[in-house]
Amino acid sequence: MEYVRASAQTPGRLEIGLVLAILLALSALLVYQAKHVGVTIDEPAHVLSSYLYWGGADRLRPSDMPPLIKIVGGWVPRLEGLPVPADLGRKGDNRHEWQASLLMMTQMSRQQIQDVFFHSRLPLIIFPLFTAVLLWWWGRLLFGPFTAALLLLAFALEPTALAHGAIFKNDLAATFAYLLLWFCAWRFWNDPRPWRAALLGAAALLAALSKLSMLVFLGFAPLLVVLAYRLRVLTNYRRMLVILLLVVVIPYVGLLAAYQFDASVVKSREIAALERDPNFSRLLLTVCPVFQLLPVPEGLWRGGLALTSIRAADSHVYMLGHTHAGGTPEYFPFALAMKVPLPLQILVIAGAVLIAINCARRKFKLADVFWLLPGFLYIGMASFYPSQLGIRLILPALPFGLLLAGMAISNLESGNRKFVAGFLLAWLAFVSLRAYPHGIAYFNAWAGAPENHFRYLTDSNLDWGQGLPELSAYIRDSEIKKINVAYFGTNHMFAYVSDNTVQPMITPYSPEYITSNPFKPAPGMYAISASYLTGHMFVPKFRDYFKTFREMKPEACIADSIFVFRVEPNAVSLAGTKQLQSR
């Protein structure tokens, strides 16, 4: 496609002012969420491993979180201190970081939990902000200032990205790194100079440091260099060799440094053990001998093994009332349909149609592949991986979906059509701010009322343990004297509520204590996390353990993720078969 002429011009004061205003508003929204959204299920383990990283002791299993967010945010808990054993993470420590983090949480007061996690989250806000700026700049180069500004606003208002940008997790770090990788690839393809190759190598490093699954893109940069020289018929092979060295050496040395030079070659017996493992990828086995010659960071090696050892039988995802072992290819397309706001869906579909028309008319260049295909590529790869625990796992595809939408927005720039773009962005703002600050649990209008959302999807799409502070406030404000709680999360419940008020419910994680299946509730108050209601996390025998509550209308829906029920006397027949009705 022909790039907009004005996009090459230096932004004027008005444009810069508008961009800064949007970024400032986005920062304020992120900071407020970082302070008020409850601790999510993964955060204690990540904060603990980040704390250990800055002490040179990040050796706990499973090492499945690469160091980028630890580098950016781990210094905060290091300064504030965490109640952990002094010997945690020393050489030979075989403890699991999840178990250690759960113990850590029980040693913290509510105020300490709130302070540590709020302050630790703040540095990670740079990732959604960087993503927003890069999306604006790339959109400007492709479509011009008007469309770029609206793309920036659309990203700032997208509920899922907004929600996950304010927690101690790597999803927005990976989103920025993936966008930067393809932007650098696009610039290199158009102008293959050595300094652009160095930027491409740095972007590949950043991607590998943000998410272990993006290690595959370490091979992308060298491949791109070869393709650029072959397809563009470039003949300076000495320059190509220099460029290849840059895109290989920069990521390798960067990985060694990020993992604190704790590296060694892999022993032959380890490779032999992997060869005997029927679940280990045969393709990856062909690469493993390289690491018998080339030192690999210990944490990276263990994390990579943990990532590749996830088996379909061990991973269960929930969709439309059914549990799927090992995921299903329909999961992420369905999650996109239910979680992406309708105005964005309209813009993305319209943009895709326009792009298809332009492709048929051959109005695109080969370089446009770098912004047209990466979103589809990421979703496609994720759709065939067993771990499908929420739309957050494909957030790196979001900026590319917005670039597709940019094609539609750019066709609405002139005349009265600007009002169409304005209406869609106003609609997006309305649905996003109405859900704020509970964007983790946001579902679009297709899903109906919040009490029905768990019938479509759960996990981090809905209930990630974030609703405990709101549940505590609800119990206090409603003057509830006694309530039974089945809380799904790693936050310390009794830092928020009194054990005189809350009775933790036994779940099928402890089947030896189960006295009836399904559970038969006595009269009283019950609060149950949405991820437990579905039963997909339990073994098949107990999938219907909370079936009685699934058939009830909740009295309240806390943070759109924890359901409160009131069971009246005589609500269940003596045989236990009569359906419960809410008051």
Side-chain angles (χ1 to χ4, degrees):
M1 65 180 290
E2 294 296 329
Y3 301 125
V4 178
R5 286 71 47 204
S7 64
Q9 299 174 357
T10 302
R13 288 185 178 181
L14 181 61
E15 184 182 359
I16 291 294
L18 176 61
V19 169
L20 290 177
I22 295 173
L23 292 175
L24 184 62
L26 175 58
S27 300
L29 292 172
L30 290 167
V31 169
Y32 182 87
Q33 283 187 145
K35 185 172 181 61
H36 292 92
V37 172
V39 176
T40 60
I41 196 166
D42 291 339
E43 287 185 280
H46 296 331
V47 166
L48 174 60
S49 66
S50 300
Y51 167 89
L52 295 174
Y53 177 89
W54 275 75
D58 184 25
R59 301 186 183 90
L60 302 184
R61 295 180 293 125
S63 300
D64 58 350
M65 178 59 65
L68 182 58
I69 65 170
K70 303 176 186 182
I71 295 170
V72 173
W75 57 273
V76 177
R78 197 73 198 178
L79 286 178
E80 298 204 352
L82 293 176
V84 298
D87 64 340
L88 196 67
R90 289 183 179 175
K91 287 283 188 180
D93 193 340
N94 200 36
R95 280 174 281 191
H96 199 288
E97 68 180 25
W98 274 69
Q99 296 168 344
S101 65
L102 287 174
L103 180 61
M104 173 192 78
M105 293 297 288
T106 64
Q107 308 302 310
M108 299 172 71
S109 67
R110 176 172 181 166
Q111 190 61 52
Q112 189 177 7
I113 291 171
Q114 291 175 334
D115 289 345
V116 166
F117 283 88
F118 170 50
H119 296 150
S120 299
R121 287 167 168 179
L122 289 178
L124 269 63
I125 287 175
I126 65 170
F127 293 115
L129 294 176
F130 284 174
T131 305
V133 172
L134 182 56
L135 175 64
W136 165 72
W137 186 248
W138 201 353
R140 195 174 189 276
L141 294 174
L142 290 173
F143 306 112
F146 174 81
T147 298
L150 293 188
L151 290 180
L152 171 61
L153 182 61
F155 175 79
L157 290 171
E158 205 289 318
T160 301
L162 179 61
H164 288 274
I167 58 179
F168 202 95
K169 189 63 180 169
N170 66 330
D171 298 300
L172 266 295
T175 300
F176 170 66
Y178 191 65
L179 182 65
L180 180 65
L181 175 67
W182 286 97
F183 177 77
C184 290
W186 179 70
R187 297 304 295 265
F188 174 80
W189 184 269
N190 288 314
D191 186 9
R193 301 184 194 182
W195 70 271
R196 291 194 187 278
L199 291 178
L200 177 61
L205 168 64
L206 200 67
L209 291 177
S210 67
K211 199 167 189 176
L212 284 177
S213 60
M214 287 208 279
L215 285 169
V216 298
F217 291 104
L218 290 178
F220 166 73
L223 178 62
L224 178 65
V225 171
V226 174
L227 286 175
Y229 271 75
R230 294 287 295 175
L231 296 180
R232 294 169 63 90
V233 198
L234 302 174
T235 57
N236 190 339
Y237 289 103
R238 181 178 297 178
R239 191 182 197 187
M240 184 184 79
L241 181 60
V242 171
I243 287 174
L244 276 173
L245 285 174
L246 286 172
V247 298
V248 171
V249 172
I250 288 176
Y252 178 67
V253 174
L255 282 170
L256 290 177
Y259 280 92
Q260 302 171 327
F261 296 101
D262 183 12
S264 61
V265 295
V266 179
K267 303 293 190 298
S268 298
R269 63 177 180 272
E270 293 183 71
I271 304 295
L274 294 175
E275 290 174 343
R276 294 192 297 270
D277 185 353
N279 296 309
F280 194 76
S281 169
R282 301 297 102 180
L283 178 63
L284 291 176
L285 277 174
T286 63
V287 182
C288 286
V290 174
F291 302 118
Q292 293 182 272
L293 304 173
L294 198 66
V296 60
E298 177 68 19
L300 180 62
W301 176 254
R302 285 188 283 111
L305 291 182
L307 182 74
T308 55
S309 65
I310 295 178
R311 298 176 299 173
D314 298 331
S315 180
H316 299 88
V317 298
Y318 175 87
M319 183 178 75
L320 285 173
H322 298 283
T323 300
H324 301 269
T328 173
E330 296 83 17
Y331 180 83
F332 286 118
F334 180 74
L336 288 168
M338 303 305 292
K339 296 275 291 178
V340 174
L342 297 187
L344 281 186
Q345 291 189 24
I346 292 170
L347 286 171
V348 170
I349 293 171
V353 170
L354 290 170
I355 287 168
I357 293 172
N358 283 337
C359 284
R361 295 174 179 173
R362 298 184 178 180
K363 290 188 175 181
F364 284 92
K365 300 176 181 179
L366 185 58
D368 292 316
V369 168
F370 294 97
W371 62 273
L372 289 174
L373 293 185
F376 297 106
L377 174 64
Y378 201 94
I379 294 170
M381 291 191 306
S383 294
F384 291 94
Y385 187 69
S387 182
Q388 299 174 349
L389 301 177
I391 195 175
R392 66 180 179 83
L393 295 178
I394 56 168
L395 275 175
L398 172 63
F400 297 96
L402 291 174
L403 289 176
L404 293 180
M407 191 69 185
I409 295 172
S410 66
N411 279 268
L412 298 172
E413 286 192 30
S414 59
N416 292 332
R417 287 184 293 180
K418 283 187 177 180
F419 291 104
V420 177
F423 168 74
L424 291 173
L425 267 295
W427 183 5
L428 173 61
F430 172 74
V431 298
S432 178
L433 297 178
R434 186 176 63 172
Y436 182 86
H438 303 305
I440 289 177
Y442 171 80
F443 279 70
N444 60 37
W446 299 129
E451 58 264 28
N452 293 321
H453 293 171
F454 78 94
R455 304 185 189 279
Y456 299 98
L457 297 164
T458 53
D459 297 306
S460 59
N461 295 302
L462 175 62
D463 172 29
W464 214 12
Q466 74 275 11
L468 189 57
E470 284 88 350
L471 177 63
S472 169
Y474 176 83
I475 292 172
R476 181 186 65 249
D477 295 343
S478 301
E479 299 182 348
I480 296 173
K481 303 301 182 185
K482 198 72 176 179
I483 185 169
N484 304 279
V485 177
Y487 166 64
F488 172 74
T490 52
N491 204 347
H492 180 36
M493 183 163 61
F494 290 117
Y496 292 82
V497 294
S498 167
D499 56 0
N500 293 323
T501 302
V502 168
Q503 174 63 50
M505 296 176 67
I506 295 171
T507 67
Y509 288 133
S510 304
E512 66 273 20
Y513 299 109
I514 299 298
T515 57
S516 64
N517 184 30
F519 175 72
K520 298 177 181 178
M525 298 291 295
Y526 295 82
I528 303 175
S529 293
S531 290
Y532 280 157
L533 275 180
T534 59
H536 72 287
M537 295 184 176
F538 307 139
V539 296
K541 176 182 176 181
F542 292 106
R543 294 265 164 85
D544 283 333
Y545 184 71
F546 287 118
K547 179 182 179 182
T548 302
F549 294 102
R550 291 202 300 263
E551 296 172 345
M552 294 178 64
K553 182 180 174 68
E555 185 167 283
C557 188
I558 309 301
D560 293 342
S561 62
I562 300 177
F563 295 85
V564 176
F565 303 92
R566 185 186 299 273
V567 177
E568 300 287 4
N570 303 318
V572 185
S573 68
L574 293 176
T577 57
K578 182 179 178 181
Q579 180 174 319
L580 290 167
Q581 302 292 333
S582 67
R583 187 174 66 177

